[in-house]
Amino acid sequence: MDFKSSENQELIKQTIRDFAEKNIRPKLMEWDEAQHFPVEVFKKMGELGLMGILVPEKYQGAGLTYFEYVTAIQEVSRVCGSIGLSMAAHNSLCTGHIMAFGNDEQKDIYLPKLATGEWIGAWGLTEANTGSDALRMQVVAKQDGDHWIINGAKNWITHGISGDVAVVLARTGEMNDSHGISAFIVDRGTAGFKAGKKENKLGMRASETAEMIFEDCKVHKSQVLGNVGDGFIQAMKVLDGGRISIAALSLGIAKGAFDASVKYSKEREQFGQPISNFQAISFKIADMATQIEAAELLTMQAADLKNRGEKVTRQSAFAKYYASEVAVRCSTEAVQIFGGYGYTKDFPVEKFYRDSKLCTIGEGTSEIQKLVIARDILKA
């Protein structure tokens, strides 16, 4: 496997780095404090092709590979995990689900708007009492002639308020039946579909997280993605790719914390010398660098398999599990290296620290990743 960056990847990396420094860094703490979701930034990202990185060019996407996708998420997340998270959710969940399982008409309608950033996408799987246990979901869709009537609420949904369109998983059969769930495309403005509570979060505060509520929401049968009853199977495949996104997000946060730590350790003096000269600090830097390198190799391995269309379940779980834990460890060590300053909002590492924890929870907790890995290894 050759993971050496191509000239195109290096160009993309520098373009995104410049964009993030100009359009994200100056405002990131203001957005974080206010829990403001900066829609205008995502419109600009759409102009750069970052809202449809994997979408084919015929649908106005960038038509790139998972290598470029991982690179893009990392570079955004090195500056702000919140923006990286929203970018990942838009690309891999809502847009990715429609791209993978939509019919030609659905793709023609939705992909160009999503890929250009004209529309922001949401993806609704999680509910208040069914996080990892998705087969017990309470949101129900019942058929009524040519329509489906959806009732219930989804929780912890990225872009639950601002999303222009959502892919929604609803139970259309018996509870605990893996073929009893279907996926629907629901446009914002559809009668009976409204936003609910916005979550007040520890980190990732500029990435909007909210309820989506359905009260006799009437959706035409043409809005079903794939076959009725295939929604859960589709969602599990979508999450395989989504785990690569979160691994890339985690890597970006870890690298941001690492970069800040190296710079600060060379500048901060104690006892007449830079603290980087002290073994206690230099060993922390060495550990961070080693863990980031390992996490990146796992992430690129998963991206390579995804590019080749091979099964990626175990490898994406490896990458998501390890990279997310590395993000937490690196950001924790970064706060320690900064000492008292690391605990203040005047320095960057406290935000990496707060943002990193979500990576071990969203799109499957670390414990669920271990379950996925173990089951894949032991299923024979």
Side-chain angles (χ1 to χ4, degrees):
M1 291 176 285
D2 180 13
F3 299 145
K4 183 179 179 182
S5 295
S6 66
E7 185 177 340
N8 192 42
Q9 284 171 259
E10 289 299 319
L11 178 61
I12 289 169
K13 184 184 292 185
Q14 191 58 55
T15 299
I16 297 170
R17 191 169 290 183
D18 293 342
F19 175 88
E21 290 296 330
K22 179 181 178 182
N23 296 282
I24 299 174
R25 191 179 295 282
K27 294 274 193 176
L28 65 87
M29 288 309 295
E30 179 183 323
W31 297 335
D32 184 81
E33 290 286 314
Q35 285 209 108
H36 172 67
F37 177 58
V39 174
E40 66 282 358
V41 168
F42 292 92
K43 302 296 184 185
K44 291 179 181 177
M45 289 167 71
E47 294 171 7
L48 272 183
L50 299 181
M51 300 298 275
I53 298 174
L54 301 168
V55 176
E57 291 181 29
K58 71 175 182 177
Y59 298 117
Q60 298 184 45
L64 299 173
T65 75
Y66 260 80
F67 289 148
E68 287 82 14
Y69 180 48
V70 165
T71 298
I73 293 176
Q74 280 189 72
E75 288 305 316
V76 170
S77 304
R78 277 176 107 140
V79 175
C80 180
S82 294
I83 306 303
L85 173 63
S86 277
M87 173 185 162
H90 171 94
N91 274 280
S92 71
L93 299 181
C94 180
T95 305
H97 199 142
I98 295 171
M99 187 167 68
F101 299 105
N103 58 38
D104 289 342
E105 183 179 359
Q106 290 166 339
K107 290 178 182 178
D108 287 339
I109 292 170
Y110 291 102
L111 289 183
K113 291 179 179 179
L114 290 164
T116 58
E118 179 184 347
W119 279 14
I120 303 293
W123 193 72
L125 176 66
T126 305
E127 297 176 11
N129 295 311
T130 56
S132 302
D133 190 10
L135 285 177
R136 293 181 186 271
M137 69 173 55
Q138 300 295 313
V139 171
V140 174
K142 295 188 179 296
Q143 192 160 14
D144 180 14
D146 287 341
H147 292 82
W148 289 84
I149 310 300
I150 305 175
N151 280 286
K154 295 292 182 180
N155 296 70
W156 300 99
I157 307 305
T158 305
H159 314 143
I161 296 170
S162 299
D164 299 284
V165 62
V167 172
V168 180
L169 284 299
R171 188 155 53 82
T172 52
E174 295 300 314
M175 191 175 288
N176 278 330
D177 180 2
S178 61
H179 293 284
I181 292 171
S182 302
F184 300 85
I185 305 174
V186 186
D187 294 337
R188 183 70 64 183
T190 301
F193 173 29
K194 64 180 182 180
K197 174 190 174 185
K198 181 177 179 177
E199 302 296 342
N200 186 8
K201 298 176 296 182
L202 168 72
M204 300 293 193
R205 290 171 59 82
S207 178
E208 179 186 274
T209 306
E211 281 183 306
M212 295 193 303
I213 299 171
F214 303 89
E215 296 175 345
D216 293 329
C217 179
K218 193 174 183 179
V219 178
H220 193 265
K221 65 181 182 181
S222 63
Q223 297 299 92
V224 175
L225 274 164
N227 296 319
V228 172
D230 284 354
F232 181 78
I233 308 302
Q234 294 172 7
M236 294 304 102
K237 291 179 180 177
V238 168
L239 286 172
D240 277 348
R243 290 178 184 131
I244 300 173
S245 301
I246 302 301
L249 168 67
S250 303
L251 267 174
I253 291 171
K255 288 181 177 182
F258 174 77
D259 292 342
S261 297
V262 170
K263 182 175 185 292
Y264 182 80
S265 72
K266 292 178 177 179
E267 296 171 350
R268 171 69 168 169
E269 290 193 359
Q270 289 286 273
F271 306 103
Q273 58 185 311
I275 62 172
S276 59
N277 287 354
F278 300 119
Q279 190 177 80
I281 301 300
S282 65
F283 277 18
K284 288 183 187 297
I285 297 290
D287 283 340
M288 292 162 77
T290 303
Q291 291 167 20
I292 288 169
E293 191 81 5
E296 186 156 27
L297 285 169
L298 283 171
T299 304
M300 295 305 283
Q301 179 190 44
D304 179 57
L305 288 172
K306 190 73 173 170
N307 282 339
R308 290 192 272 125
E310 296 186 23
K311 185 182 177 186
V312 75
T313 302
R314 189 192 303 186
Q315 280 70 23
S316 65
F318 279 158
K320 197 273 186 187
Y321 167 49
Y322 188 72
S324 65
E325 295 290 340
V326 165
V328 172
R329 286 198 292 272
C330 286
S331 58
T332 301
E333 291 288 47
V335 171
Q336 196 71 16
I337 289 169
F338 273 71
Y341 290 120
Y343 206 65
T344 72
K345 292 181 183 290
D346 295 327
F347 289 78
V349 292
E350 66 84 31
K351 183 175 184 298
F352 289 125
Y353 180 70
R354 288 185 290 109
D355 287 349
S356 67
K357 190 57 195 167
L358 185 277
C359 298
T360 68
I361 298 169
E363 293 195 39
T365 62
S366 290
E367 290 74 21
I368 287 295
Q369 301 314 311
K370 287 190 272 190
L371 188 65
V372 169
I373 293 163
R375 282 180 175 172
D376 196 67
I377 291 170
L378 300 171
K379 67 183 178 182

